[in-house]
Amino acid sequence: MSTPVTESAPIPARPLPASYRSTKVRRQRVRAAWFFLAPMLVTLAMVAGWPLLRTFYFSFTDASLSDMSDTLFIGLENYLVYDDGRWFGVLADPIWWRAVWNTVYFSVVSVSLEVVFGVIVALVLNAEFKGRTLVRAAVLIPWAIPTIVSAQMWAWMLNDQFGIINHLLMALGIIASPIAWTADANYSMWAVIMVDVWKTTPFVALLVLAALQMLPKDCYEAAEVDGIHPVKVFFRVTLPLITPALMVAVIFRLLDALRVFDVIYVLTSNSTSTMSMSIYARQQLVEFQDVGYGSAASTLLFLIIALATIAYLYLGRKQLQLGGD
């Protein structure tokens, strides 16, 4: 008599480890991110990458705006070359180094003032008071005005002949005679900085205000119960929490300030006392029609901005890591 054959129960499949599942999901998300970013990266390479490479190429040639077809490769002569007992090139030009100093000075002073005023404006707008919505909208007006329009508006107001700024200061007895704010080398840089701070402080205030509105309320309620001074609460609680938003505002403003052109050119044109690196490059390219020399200045400007950005991001990441520890 044969014995019946019993079927064995199926062995359940072993579940995949959680680390494997998370790694697989992460890879899928990375592939999806690259898929959606690909059109933008291709467009960016065509719009920005190709002109940048062309600028690098022209910086090693003697290209002229009058005849772009007949160019010769001259190596580093546009940057620095020693000939007949003298140094020539962008790096040997004292006007270039004056433009570098003007740009750095303008960037450091203007961005620092914008951060200070932006935080103050954001703290005021974050408080509860009647008409806060209207004030918020009014604060954004300077930032909404195009830079060329606002710079020309300030150029008229700062004019030494018919400007309203001199008229008001003389009426108040602060000055005895009109001041050429944009023509006098003693005042022109500060006039440019003042206009830039007026124009872009709302941008910093907007980012800081967004960060302030996301802060938890319980820590402030606890500080109020404990009787901690508001100034101490700001430096111990508020400032560390809004530091990431401040870093974003500073890096965006620093990039804009290092490549500043429009506000300075409208107010002071090619004045050496306020000439920025962008204005120097434009002067070589357009007015002197020296494409090779101007491209070398533009390349140096790009490298300076890139190094400043990398250094700031590195130092900011180190600060955030130290703060987290």
Side-chain angles (χ1 to χ4, degrees):
M1 183 175 182
S2 60
T3 58
V5 179
T6 59
E7 296 182 358
S8 58
I11 301 175
R14 180 179 299 178
L16 295 175
S19 59
Y20 176 82
R21 292 197 302 270
S22 62
T23 305
K24 184 178 180 180
V25 171
R26 189 180 300 112
R27 287 199 299 265
Q28 291 176 348
R29 289 179 177 177
V30 170
R31 285 195 297 267
W34 280 110
F35 176 77
F36 288 110
L37 285 175
M40 184 272 295
L41 294 176
V42 172
T43 305
L44 186 62
M46 294 173 60
V47 173
W50 175 245
L52 185 62
L53 292 177
R54 291 279 290 178
T55 302
F56 289 163
Y57 167 73
F58 282 132
S59 68
F60 298 106
T61 67
D62 62 348
S64 175
L65 195 62
S66 60
D67 187 8
M68 296 289 292
S69 60
D70 187 16
T71 60
L72 296 176
F73 184 82
I74 60 174
L76 298 174
E77 291 186 13
N78 287 322
Y79 293 94
L80 188 65
V81 63
Y82 187 77
D83 185 25
D84 197 18
R86 293 181 59 189
W87 290 99
F88 297 93
V90 177
L91 296 176
D93 189 354
I95 300 179
W96 162 256
W97 290 111
R98 178 63 185 271
V100 172
W101 165 249
N102 289 339
T103 307
V104 173
Y105 183 81
F106 170 84
S107 302
V108 172
V109 176
S110 63
V111 173
S112 300
L113 292 176
E114 288 159 12
V115 169
V116 173
F117 291 143
V119 171
I120 294 174
V121 172
L123 291 173
V124 172
L125 296 179
N126 193 50
E128 295 287 345
F129 60 90
K130 188 176 180 180
R132 183 176 63 170
T133 304
L134 183 61
V135 174
R136 287 181 177 179
V139 166
L140 293 177
I141 291 177
W143 184 48
I145 299 176
T147 305
I148 297 294
V149 176
S150 61
Q152 187 61 58
M153 178 182 67
W154 278 99
W156 291 333
M157 292 193 296
L158 293 171
N159 189 275
D160 57 330
Q161 299 296 325
F162 53 81
I164 192 174
I165 301 297
N166 281 317
H167 178 75
L168 291 176
L169 294 178
M170 292 176 64
L172 295 174
I174 299 177
I175 58 175
S177 59
I179 298 176
W181 297 100
T182 58
D184 193 332
N186 296 321
Y187 303 103
S188 56
M189 178 58 75
W190 284 105
V192 170
I193 291 175
M194 178 191 68
V195 175
D196 186 72
V197 171
W198 174 86
K199 162 72 178 170
T200 53
T201 294
F203 171 76
V204 180
L206 186 64
L207 293 181
V208 176
L209 179 61
L212 288 173
Q213 293 185 334
M214 292 189 297
L215 297 183
K217 303 296 183 182
D218 51 355
C219 56
Y220 292 98
E221 295 174 356
E224 185 178 357
V225 171
D226 295 338
I228 302 177
H229 197 275
V231 176
K232 190 174 182 180
V233 173
F234 171 77
F235 284 103
R236 295 292 183 87
V237 179
T238 305
L239 190 59
L241 291 176
I242 65 173
T243 297
L246 274 178
M247 288 182 58
V248 173
V250 169
I251 192 61
F252 273 96
R253 282 300 308 130
L254 186 63
L255 291 176
D256 282 340
L258 287 175
R259 58 183 179 85
V260 62
F261 172 82
D262 41 13
V263 63
I264 295 180
Y265 188 76
V266 171
L267 289 172
T268 61
S269 189
N270 290 325
S271 175
T272 308
S273 60
T274 57
M275 177 180 290
S276 66
M277 292 184 286
S278 297
I279 294 177
Y280 178 90
R282 183 259 176 199
Q283 186 182 50
Q284 303 298 326
L285 283 166
V286 179
E287 296 186 9
F288 300 157
Q289 297 190 357
D290 194 340
V291 176
Y293 201 90
S295 297
S298 301
T299 302
L300 291 174
L301 171 60
F302 170 78
L303 294 176
I304 290 173
I305 294 177
L307 291 176
T309 304
I310 293 173
Y312 182 82
L313 292 177
Y314 176 78
L315 295 176
R317 182 176 300 178
K318 286 292 183 182
Q319 183 179 1
L320 289 178
Q321 290 176 354
L322 292 175
D325 295 340

